Amino acid sequence: MPRINDNYLKLKAGYLFPEIGRRVREFRSENPDAPIIKLGIGDVTEPLPQACIDAMHAAVDEMSQRETFRGYMDDSQGHDWLREAIVKNDYEARGCQVSASEIFVSDGSKCDTANILDILAAGKNRIAVTDPVYPVYVDTNVMAGNTGEAKESGGYDGVVYLPVTAENNFTPALPDKPVDVIYLCYPNNPTGTVLGKDELAKWVEYARQNEALILYDAAYEAYITDPEIPHSIYEIDGARDVAIEFRSFSKNAGFTGVRCALTVIPDSVTGTIATGEKRPLQPLWARRHNTKFNGVSYITQRGVEAVYSEAGKQQVADLIAFYLENARLLREGLEAVGITVFGGVNAPYIWLKTPGDLSSWDFFDRLLTSGHLVGTPGSGFGTAGEGYFRLSAFNSRENIEEAVKRFQRVVE
Ligand code: MLT
């Protein structure tokens, strides 16, 4: 009889987005004609940049000829030409010291932020997360045995939660007890807020002083409009010794359905082994990557390479501008009816205070039943998200304009 991983039994309810999907399906089965607009999960709606399409078509043609056909890659870390383009455009251009050997191309940041736990000792690390937070960070630590049981009041025993609310201007305080691993996501999912250089530098300094590891999720960096906000944690001196960075092509080039992301593990990031001796993490991740993963498809990597072409850069910039304009319309439309709104300037998410102090799920139900609108309840991201609600700016212009009208009708 196989022995199961009991840690899974500690997990509360379903993963947030399937739970929203379940409620929407239920509503739809009773109201089949309701013209539902979804501003829930942050999934892009616009077609891929033409430069990526052209590159992928050309790659498919290469696959059709014996001479240019490709099978397995020599190394699942990613083709050199792609990793070099990433270094040049995403890192060198911002004065960050990152080399191609430190980049691991993968099929998604969700998987990478989850799988990174493979190289950390299960049950031996205390983690810190902001609250609210992208649920994947917490749930995967529950699965790995890094937490205690679910608490009645929300959250899990053993996790250090760092509240981010309007009261502290969405700036997390440093942990007040020792932690080994800190998850930071900026621009932030779900609140759409950002962390300035000085604030981020405090975290790097904290990690250096306390020998903690920062897992920095920069999946939304392309949405930063303020020139003072760092795009990469490696813009901060000393971060190369304490931080792993995750990036994605989902939200900039619209690869949510194609799948491609990258993880940077500088060769100077270390952890300790049982004896207390320090060892670099990068070779462990390389070993894991090559054992459990056969690399991102050649066609996809060619598509991603085109993100860094002149045409690709412009087309990606156009997509970002489009979604940010959606965010502006949502923000201003909501403010016009007295809703308090955060985020949406350097991020594709709007984080709003629910009107009339409604709970997050009550507001979800009201929006769905009265406005046929779907968003994400703030409490689904953590206890401190209660009384807040997230709207995603990923949608067509027509749907965003219609959503603003319906939203106004529901809350007025
Ligand atoms: C979200 O809506 O929070 C994200 O789209 C989820 C994800 O990127 O996995």
Side-chain angles (χ1 to χ4, degrees), residues 78-387:
H79 284 287
D80 291 347
W81 36 262
L82 177 56
R83 287 184 293 134
E84 276 151 21
I86 292 166
V87 166
K88 181 163 168 268
N89 292 282
D90 287 339
Y91 292 107
E92 278 175 14
R94 295 197 179 275
C96 303
Q97 185 204 336
V98 168
S99 65
S101 62
E102 296 172 324
I103 290 182
F104 295 80
V105 177
S106 76
D107 61 347
S109 284
K110 177 178 181 172
C111 335
D112 284 357
T113 56
N115 290 332
I116 199 72
L117 295 177
D118 275 12
I119 63 165
L120 301 175
K124 301 264 189 258
N125 290 293
R126 184 190 284 269
I127 69 151
V129 291
T130 60
D131 178 9
V133 71
Y134 181 41
V136 172
Y137 312 152
V138 175
D139 287 3
T140 53
N141 274 282
V142 175
M143 293 169 180
N146 289 336
T147 74
E149 297 294 330
K151 292 190 283 192
E152 201 61 49
S153 57
Y156 291 89
D157 281 327
V159 175
V160 175
Y161 289 96
L162 311 166
V164 281
T165 60
E167 282 69 42
N168 64 5
N169 202 19
F170 300 96
T171 307
L174 294 169
D176 58 5
K177 45 174 90 78
V179 297
D180 306 294
V181 181
I182 301 160
Y183 289 79
L184 293 177
C185 171
Y186 286 99
N188 186 251
N189 179 14
T191 65
T193 57
V194 285
L195 215 53
K197 252 191 189 137
D198 291 349
E199 275 304 321
L200 190 53
K202 285 187 201 162
W203 284 94
V204 169
E205 185 52 27
Y206 174 89
R208 294 178 66 86
Q209 294 296 328
N210 295 276
E211 302 203 310
L213 170 68
I214 298 177
L215 298 178
Y216 194 73
D217 186 347
Y220 298 93
E221 64 75 34
Y223 289 83
I224 294 173
T225 52
D226 180 342
E228 297 304 316
I229 302 297
H231 286 240
S232 165
I233 195 164
Y234 305 121
E235 290 179 48
I236 309 296
D237 286 343
R240 277 185 55 83
D241 297 335
V242 292
I244 291 176
E245 180 163 289
F246 304 92
R247 291 233 179 163
S248 169
F249 296 98
S250 285
K251 318 288 164 141
N252 59 353
F255 273 48
T256 54
V258 182
R259 311 301 311 148
C260 196
L262 67 103
T263 291
V264 182
I265 308 195
D267 51 22
S268 42
V269 177
T270 54
T272 53
I273 57 172
T275 59
E277 212 182 305
K278 284 189 182 172
R279 290 288 168 83
L281 295 185
Q282 193 200 83
L284 306 185
W285 185 248
R287 186 71 169 82
R288 184 211 172 271
H289 208 66
N290 275 302
T291 303
K292 295 196 176 182
F293 187 57
N294 259 334
V296 170
S297 80
Y298 174 71
I299 297 163
T300 300
Q301 291 194 56
R302 281 294 183 205
V304 171
E305 184 191 29
V307 166
Y308 298 105
S309 65
E310 281 318 304
K313 283 182 196 169
Q314 186 54 52
Q315 290 157 10
V316 167
D318 292 346
L319 278 175
I320 303 287
F322 176 81
Y323 292 127
L324 282 176
E325 175 62 7
N326 282 352
R328 187 188 68 78
L329 291 170
L330 281 172
R331 232 178 37 238
E332 292 181 1
L334 270 48
E335 278 169 347
V337 286
I339 303 282
T340 307
V341 177
F342 308 93
V345 177
N346 294 290
Y349 296 124
I350 309 287
W351 188 245
L352 59 103
K353 199 84 197 81
T354 56
D357 281 336
L358 278 180
S359 79
S360 301
W361 277 109
D362 283 350
F363 188 58
F364 173 91
D365 289 335
R366 181 162 152 201
L367 267 190
L368 179 59
T369 52
S370 312
H372 304 153
L373 291 175
V374 178
T376 311
S379 57
F381 296 102
T383 315
E386 181 55 275

